[in-house]
Amino acid sequence: MAENTTTMRQWTTLMDGINNLKLTTVPRPIDLKDDQVLVKISRVALNHRDAKIINGDFKDSYPTPSHPLVPTSDASGIIVQVSDSVADTGKWTKGDRVISLMRPTHLTGPTTAQHAASGIGIPENGVLTEYRVFSAEGLVGVPGYMSLDEACTLPTAATTAWMALNWDREIDRPRRGKAVVVLLLGTGGVSIAGLQQAKALGLTVIITSSSAAKLERARQLGADYTINYKTNPDWATEVLNITSGKGADIIFETGGPATMEHSIRCIAAGGNISAIGVLSGTTSNAESAGQAIALSLIRKNATLKGINVGPKDRIEEMIRTVYVERFEVRPVIDRVFGFEEAREALEYMYGGSHLGKVIMKVD
Ligand SMILES: NC(=O)c1ccc[n+]([C@@H]2O[C@H](COP(=O)([O-])OP(=O)(O)OC[C@H]3O[C@@H](n4cnc5c(N)ncnc54)[C@H](OP(=O)(O)O)[C@@H]3O)[C@@H](O)[C@H]2O)c1
């Protein structure tokens, strides 16, 4: 079937639930402003956050868009048009393979409140669309060895993993290799990217999961130790046993209220807990839990670091350090859905039966 060159399809949401997502046809962008490029989206990777945004759970965290929102933030694609100013600089040319950035204006440095309230997928339109205009600086090139399927998983999950692993730029860590123990909670997109990155750097990995089959897969991906947190709710003790009482040096804290206390119990002295998510929900006893957390952190001189994705220069650093031809780390894709299957894909991802990333084929 000949491609219609004047229109394109895109999914929109009124943040009233995954079932109410709408597939619409709109004019394709033709006029580019200075420093803009047009990207034909190839693949989109889904994040936990996308489902929450669509379900209206983040309404208080971001300015409400005045229009139906194109959701999701992570895409790979091919540049099909560049503005004259971009052509003049030679920064991008037609045919370049690129990935999006969740926060295209966050180029370097810590995440400010302004960065945190900005971004694509909310409040700006996201990438669940066949074509999208990007600022030239809001894109990163895809490593040569990597497919567009794999590359779309990098912007949020892999970048968050990189920041959780290396937010302090502890350049000594790879040299200490196996002596550095990384604990990953669950086998979602962030944890599996963390597993791959930690193994590329030669670190020791302990990973937890509610599923024996997922733990087996994690072992195949290089995990040194696995713990089933369903059959062994006292997983923190198990971490201490594995590490001869020392604890984990870095913890990817994706669980939140129900896991934080356990994480604090098994963090090594001087270790880093990267607070990433709240998959276990919220606690009704926040005050006393918060108190316990603060005391334990002080006693252990540990760092509890809030992670909020990361700037462009850290994504480029991650690609240079880990996702390079030398390691050829291949991001783990659990399942690929078609563009028309947005509702099914989001429900599947939100259901949590996946390991690694759930992606959609757009082109
Ligand atoms: N701060 C940031 O910058 C940032 C960036 C990305 C993501 N996040 C957040 O980080 C979290 C993980 O994101 P993701 O994209 O990796 O999610 P995901 O792909 O949906 O992963 C979910 C997995 O986490 C595990 N899990 C669920 N409840 C758990 C619990 N109580 N204890 C331990 N593990 C549990 C499960 O693994 P098993 O099935 O193996 O048990 C589940 O499959 C989410 O809360 C997300 O919003 C934050």
Side-chain angles (χ1 to χ4, degrees), residues 60-338:
D60 296 339
S61 315
Y62 295 93
T64 308
S66 56
H67 49 81
L69 180 75
V70 178
T72 81
S73 59
D74 295 5
S76 60
I78 293 176
I79 293 183
V80 290
Q81 196 183 331
V82 300
S83 65
D84 291 344
S85 64
V86 174
D88 287 347
T89 63
K91 166 71 183 152
W92 299 114
T93 52
K94 265 165 77 168
D96 283 346
R97 301 184 324 144
V98 290
I99 54 171
S100 56
L101 300 175
M102 197 183 106
R103 300 212 175 94
T105 56
H106 186 193
L107 303 181
T108 190
T111 309
T112 62
Q114 230 171 351
H115 293 137
S118 72
I120 62 176
I122 195 169
E124 290 168 45
N125 278 335
V127 295
L128 207 48
T129 178
E130 290 177 314
Y131 291 82
R132 192 184 188 283
V133 174
F134 291 87
S135 65
E137 66 180 6
L139 294 168
V140 168
V142 173
Y145 75 88
M146 204 180 265
S147 69
L148 289 172
D149 286 56
E150 293 163 336
C152 75
T153 69
L154 298 181
T156 298
T159 304
T160 302
W162 180 246
M163 295 302 285
L165 205 54
N166 198 34
W167 63 267
D168 56 353
R169 296 184 198 257
E170 232 259 53
I171 50 169
D172 187 38
R173 215 165 260 146
R175 197 179 59 74
R176 285 187 285 138
K178 280 188 186 325
V180 178
V181 178
V182 182
L183 171 63
L184 308 164
L185 304 187
T187 57
V190 175
S191 290
I192 294 298
L195 165 61
Q196 295 187 294
Q197 294 178 10
K199 290 319 295 177
L201 297 176
L203 315 182
T204 296
V205 170
I206 305 174
I207 189 164
T208 74
S209 176
S210 55
S211 148
K214 288 184 179 183
L215 289 177
E216 175 52 34
R217 178 82 179 105
R219 271 193 292 277
Q220 289 164 8
L221 289 167
D224 299 277
Y225 302 94
T226 58
I227 306 173
N228 188 320
Y229 65 81
K230 269 266 161 66
T231 57
N232 186 359
D234 189 15
W235 47 268
T237 299
E238 188 62 24
V239 171
L240 290 169
N241 288 340
I242 290 168
T243 56
S244 309
K246 176 182 164 242
D249 301 288
I250 300 169
I251 299 181
F252 279 43
E253 228 315 325
T254 41
T259 55
M260 185 64 86
E261 242 180 287
H262 301 268
S263 293
I264 289 169
R265 206 151 63 74
C266 64
I267 187 71
N272 292 331
I273 297 179
S274 286
I276 299 171
V278 286
L279 286 166
S280 63
T282 47
T283 171
S284 57
N285 197 8
E287 216 170 277
S288 61
Q291 220 169 285
I293 288 167
L295 279 175
S296 300
L297 284 170
I298 292 162
R299 282 197 195 113
K300 290 199 168 186
N301 194 23
T303 303
L304 177 63
K305 169 73 174 168
I307 299 290
N308 204 329
V309 197
K312 179 179 180 179
D313 61 351
R314 300 304 305 273
I315 297 180
E316 291 172 330
E317 172 196 72
M318 165 187 83
I319 290 175
R320 269 197 319 275
T321 311
V322 185
Y323 296 96
V324 284
E325 274 70 3
R326 184 157 61 97
F327 291 124
E328 290 214 349
V329 173
R330 298 205 165 271
V332 177
I333 294 158
D334 177 275
R335 193 162 156 188
V336 185
F337 285 83

Side-chain angles (χ1 to χ4, degrees), residues 3-9 25-29 130-131:
E3 195 183 359
N4 183 336
T5 54
T6 57
T7 61
M8 64 178 189
R9 294 174 307 158
T25 299
V26 295
R28 193 190 296 182
E130 290 177 314
Y131 291 82

